[in-house]
Amino acid sequence: MTSRSFRTRAAVLVLLLTATALPASVAQADPPEEVDQSLLVPTTLDSSFAPFTCRVRRTGPVCTGERHLDTGWQPVDFPCHTQLHNRFVSYRHQTRYYDHDYLNYDRHFRSRDIDYFSATPGGPTTATIITNVRFDEPFGVRGDDSTVTIITTGTIWDIRPADGPSLVRVVGTVVEPPGEVGTFSGHVTREGVTTHHEETPLDEVMPETYFFETVCRAATGG
């Protein structure tokens, strides 16, 4: 037997002996500590994500929740020449991070939302707006909701008729500091023509009038 193979076998034997000598308490970790949600700041968890699951982690409490929405068909007040009806379907997952003083300092989300539109009650769908994003909400001051900056990344809007290509597709990152108009960095494709934007005010990227006109055209064909 070579000295190398001996050292290898000796190392394996040591690992086996060490494993058998470990107490049972090492092999089975204690379950995460529960969180008194009444101590969290801000104190109110979004009820649409209930029930939240909160556990104490190394950095402090972490709470997670999911929201599933389906509004069903209902009339919507869009300035189209035809009355539109809308159905909103959304899946969103949220994670909230707190420090050891139970102050919320960040939130992470995953969200996939689809707005369905129809010119008749109950469908069929004639147009959709798809949003597929992740967004973060870091706090400027821990525990103070008014200091949150919203940073959204992914497909912000994809507006298309049910039987055709996108009329407008906005993909990139939106940054919305508290109390300010958001800015967009990324690509906007309008009917096959793509333009690049860098920190452009969001209301310039998608003016409200243009947004409504595009949805109306996608849903009604004119």
Side-chain angles (χ1 to χ4, degrees), residues 5 34 38 60 66 82 95 102 134 137 169-170 176 189 196 201:
S5 62
E34 293 283 349
S38 68
E66 295 184 1
T82 299
T95 304
Y102 280 39
R134 293 176 180 268
E137 295 185 352
R169 193 165 189 264
V170 180
E176 299 173 88
T189 302
H196 178 74

Side-chain angles (χ1 to χ4, degrees), residues 163-175:
D163 57 355
S166 294
L167 299 182
V168 180
R169 193 165 189 264
V170 180
V171 180
T173 299
V174 176
V175 179

Side-chain angles (χ1 to χ4, degrees), residues 69 93 148 171 212 219:
L69 293 179
H93 181 275
V148 167
V171 180
F212 285 130

Side-chain angles (χ1 to χ4, degrees), residues 7-43:
R7 287 196 300 270
T8 301
R9 293 184 63 184
V12 171
L13 180 60
V14 169
L15 288 173
L16 290 173
L17 291 174
T18 302
T20 57
L22 288 174
S25 60
V26 174
Q28 294 184 350
D30 292 333
E33 181 183 345
E34 293 283 349
V35 174
D36 183 350
Q37 295 185 18
S38 68
L39 300 177
L40 300 176
V41 180
T43 56

